[in-house]
Amino acid sequence: MNGFFIIVSVFLLLNIALGLIRVWRGPTVADRLLTTQLFGTTGMAILLVLAGYSKDLTLLNVAITFNVLAILLVISLFQVWKKRREKANDDT
Amino acid sequence: MTIHELITVILLVVGCFFFLAGTLGVLRFPDLFSRLHALTKADNLGLGFIAAGMAVYIASPWAALKIFFIWLFTLLASSTSCYLIARFQKEQEQTKNGKEGE
Amino acid sequence: MSVLIDGLLAILAIYLALQSLLAPRLIKSVFLFFAFGLALALAWVRLGAVDVAITEAAIASGFLGVLFLDALRDFSPAFPAKQKNPEAAHNVLVKNNTKSLLLSRIPLGLGLGLFLLIALEAVWKTPEGGGLTAAAEAFLPESGVEHPVTAVLLNFRAYDTWLEIGVILMGLLAIFAVGGIKVYRKPNMAAQDPMLRQVIMFFTPVLFLFGAFLLYFGKTGPGGAFQAAVLWGAIGILLHLGGKSIIEEIPRWLRQLILTVGILFFLVLGFLFVAGGNALFEYPRAYAGLLILIIETLAAISIAAALTAIFANLNQMKEDPNETESIN
């Protein structure tokens, strides 16, 4: 069973590694933000699997911490874009 | 292998399939909106399957509640970010088109 | 078997660290840095240091990420309309910087090599018997808490923690000194966008509750004041981003009280112990658990307020659109 959990986590890690290609290729900023969403969701899944593997339920707290702060990042990025665009519009 | 473990294995494999589908969608789909669609739907479904599998495996009500909340928060966070990204992109494309049209 | 995942994590973490340093565009760097934070947190989990993993998740991915994104707004020229004078000035600045970098490359390389050697030596000489783990475990019953990390941070080495709270306050003072260089128009987007407002309203109590849980859980497991503080600070940042800056809306004296209450209570308590004939931060055994909980709560409130104030000061907003220009 433990070997199976390891295989699943390695598979999910490879998913993250594949997602990095999209960070490199872009082409827009939105595409790159998209991959952070991919990393976040996949990372959550890896944490859950590792929690079962090591039978350490405190890992769930790590997952929740990531979770509730992810939304902060997204909102702040959006606000930053918004402000930048307002600035650009003011200049034109 | 007990019946619990069998259920866990099946759920995790199904979850992994959806994760793979999501990643392939992100890499292969042609434009941002379809990539968003692939990622937000497939990955969250995959996470749901993996969460269910681990909840069955750990088999403690308190942990199951936490796992459920992890999934719920991820659903909320990623649907919000999907909406915000899509909205931002759309507005940006509109302003670009408007400027070119002038 | 598990060496597979550890090896992959190590490769991924080092690759992401290198790439986020070498990436040609800052925005790419920042996104690679997020991924790096995630890989690092997973590595800490694999090393069995869940406390550090939570801190990594909270501070590196959450708070630092927000600060980086905030800095990004000023630096990357995404809009061609903006490429006028500021851009030229920026280029000159960059050229000067590269010149001075070239000159200092040799001492920099030497220093880095020395640092790496020292780090390698430290890794090489890791104590065989697990260092001070046994000593910390032995005195655990007297510390008033059940988790060794919390016992070390708030009882055995409380002095360090006290000074760490001070360091955050010092950082805030530095930002007070240079902050408010740029003042932006108050975003009214959150008020218009119903979805965003609902999300902020939903996550505010969740952040508060989970922070309180981590604070209390620190007694028995991974968690504690700093992690809780970041989650509580995130509330302030969320509300600030939503256009409602709580730190600027409360009265000045109350703000200063909240910012300093953590370090002050710690200090007063220490002096009371000294006056009572004990060492600084030597808690009476019967009340140790309670005192640690009170100290942690107050420290978390102070740190949360400091983090919010740091963000709010870097991001001052004005209602009047005429004042959006920078006031250098």
Side-chain angles (χ1 to χ4, degrees):
Chain A
M1 201 61 193
N2 277 343
F4 177 69
F5 283 150
I6 290 290
I7 293 171
V8 170
S9 357
V10 168
F11 177 80
L12 292 174
L13 265 180
L14 287 177
N15 258 328
I16 289 186
L18 273 179
L20 281 176
I21 298 174
R22 188 45 78 189
V23 177
W24 273 111
R25 288 222 305 243
T28 60
V29 181
D31 281 299
R32 301 207 170 96
L33 181 66
L34 188 75
T35 47
T36 31
Q37 196 185 323
L38 169 78
F39 298 154
T41 317
T42 319
M44 250 6 58
I46 296 175
L47 276 173
L48 284 178
V49 174
L50 284 181
Y53 170 71
S54 61
K55 305 214 168 40
D56 184 0
L57 292 186
T58 52
L59 295 198
L60 300 182
N61 293 344
V62 185
I64 297 183
T65 312
F66 255 115
N67 243 328
V68 290
L69 288 174
I71 193 73
L72 181 70
L73 281 182
V74 172
I75 292 179
S76 85
L77 182 67
F78 191 63
Q79 297 286 36
V80 166
W81 281 343
K82 197 88 182 173
K83 280 184 209 161
R84 230 158 71 173
R85 198 168 60 203
E86 270 171 16
K87 256 169 74 185
N89 285 344
D90 288 347
D91 291 345
T92 45
Chain B
M1 191 182 265
T2 62
I3 184 83
H4 276 225
E5 289 183 340
L6 190 67
I7 295 174
T8 306
V9 169
I10 293 172
L11 285 174
L12 287 194
V13 168
V14 174
C16 280
F17 168 74
F18 279 109
F19 268 105
L20 184 65
T23 311
L24 286 182
V26 166
L27 289 181
R28 301 287 303 160
F29 275 171
D31 70 334
L32 178 84
F33 296 111
S34 40
R35 289 199 279 259
L36 261 179
H37 149 92
L39 181 68
T40 314
K41 283 180 185 163
D43 268 20
N44 284 315
L45 196 57
L47 184 67
F49 275 110
I50 284 183
M54 293 325 291
V56 168
Y57 181 77
I58 294 174
S60 118
W62 173 230
L65 189 70
K66 261 193 194 170
I67 291 175
F68 173 70
F69 273 113
I70 290 173
W71 186 50
L72 190 71
F73 292 158
T74 314
L75 277 185
L76 273 172
S78 53
S79 52
T80 313
S81 76
C82 173
Y83 160 76
L84 288 177
I85 295 170
R87 184 184 148 166
F88 175 80
Q89 184 74 6
K90 196 145 182 85
E91 282 178 7
Q92 204 168 34
E93 278 174 9
Q94 272 169 358
T95 47
K96 258 184 203 161
N97 288 342
K99 270 178 195 168
E100 279 164 13
E102 275 168 12
Chain C
M1 192 69 187
S2 66
V3 74
L4 206 63
I5 183 166
D6 291 344
L8 196 59
L9 258 182
I11 294 170
L12 200 64
I14 293 173
Y15 174 79
L16 286 171
L18 280 178
Q19 289 300 329
S20 66
L21 285 176
L22 299 176
R25 287 186 57 196
L26 279 175
I27 193 140
K28 210 180 266 183
S29 286
V30 170
F31 288 129
L32 285 165
F33 183 78
F34 293 155
F36 173 64
L38 185 71
L40 214 54
L42 286 173
W44 284 119
V45 161
R46 288 293 303 145
L47 288 169
V50 183
D51 285 274
V52 191
I54 296 181
T55 318
E56 176 72 35
I59 293 181
S61 289
F63 187 64
L64 267 186
V66 171
L67 283 189
F68 279 169
L69 284 176
D70 191 50
L72 211 60
R73 177 192 56 200
D74 296 333
F75 278 116
S76 68
F79 300 96
K82 193 85 184 92
Q83 287 174 347
K84 285 174 205 160
N85 286 336
E87 191 53 27
H90 184 69
N91 280 341
V92 170
L93 206 70
V94 166
K95 266 176 200 158
N96 284 345
N97 274 348
T98 36
K99 239 179 226 167
S100 57
L101 254 182
L102 271 176
L103 279 176
S104 63
R105 190 166 279 177
I106 296 166
L108 199 71
L110 280 178
L112 199 65
L114 197 67
F115 175 76
L116 274 180
L117 271 182
I118 294 172
L120 264 182
E121 196 224 0
V123 170
W124 201 257
K125 279 190 177 170
T126 307
E128 291 274 317
L132 291 171
T133 313
E137 297 270 353
F139 286 100
L140 201 54
E142 296 182 18
S143 67
V145 292
E146 291 154 42
H147 186 54
V149 175
T150 311
V152 170
L153 283 183
L154 281 140
N155 197 335
F156 306 150
R157 303 282 308 187
Y159 197 67
D160 291 0
T161 309
W162 177 59
L163 288 179
E164 272 164 25
I165 303 172
V167 167
I168 292 181
L169 266 185
M170 297 285 280
L172 179 62
L173 283 182
I175 286 169
F176 275 150
V178 300
I181 293 172
K182 293 209 164 140
V183 180
Y184 292 92
R185 184 189 305 171
K186 197 166 192 165
N188 45 12
M189 190 265 297
Q192 294 167 355
D193 194 330
M195 180 136 172
L196 209 55
R197 203 170 64 190
Q198 284 301 321
V199 167
I200 291 177
M201 275 164 69
F202 176 83
F203 271 95
T204 306
V206 167
L207 279 166
F208 178 78
L209 273 180
F210 190 64
F213 166 76
L214 271 187
L215 184 70
Y216 188 73
F217 192 67
K219 198 176 167 187
T220 48
F226 279 85
Q227 290 92 334
V230 177
L231 289 177
W232 285 354
I235 299 176
I237 296 175
L238 262 188
L239 292 178
H240 186 88
L241 286 171
K244 191 157 188 68
S245 184
I246 45 170
I247 200 83
E248 281 162 18
E249 278 176 17
I250 57 176
R252 193 181 159 85
W253 63 271
L254 189 62
R255 202 183 336 167
Q256 286 167 344
L257 183 72
I258 291 177
L259 281 173
T260 51
V261 68
I263 195 163
L264 274 184
F265 181 76
F266 225 144
L267 189 65
V268 169
L269 208 62
F271 275 125
L272 283 182
F273 292 149
V274 173
N278 287 341
L280 193 72
F281 303 136
E282 185 186 343
Y283 313 118
R285 235 167 256 176
Y287 300 108
L290 183 67
L291 280 178
I292 286 178
L293 192 63
I294 295 173
I295 288 174
E296 281 203 295
T297 312
L298 293 178
I301 291 172
S302 280
I303 300 169
L307 295 182
T308 310
I310 286 174
F311 189 77
N313 258 288
L314 293 170
N315 248 300
Q316 287 180 6
M317 297 181 292
K318 282 273 176 341
E319 296 271 9
D320 189 357
N322 291 330
E323 292 180 37
T324 52
E325 293 303 312
S326 59
I327 41 166
N328 279 317

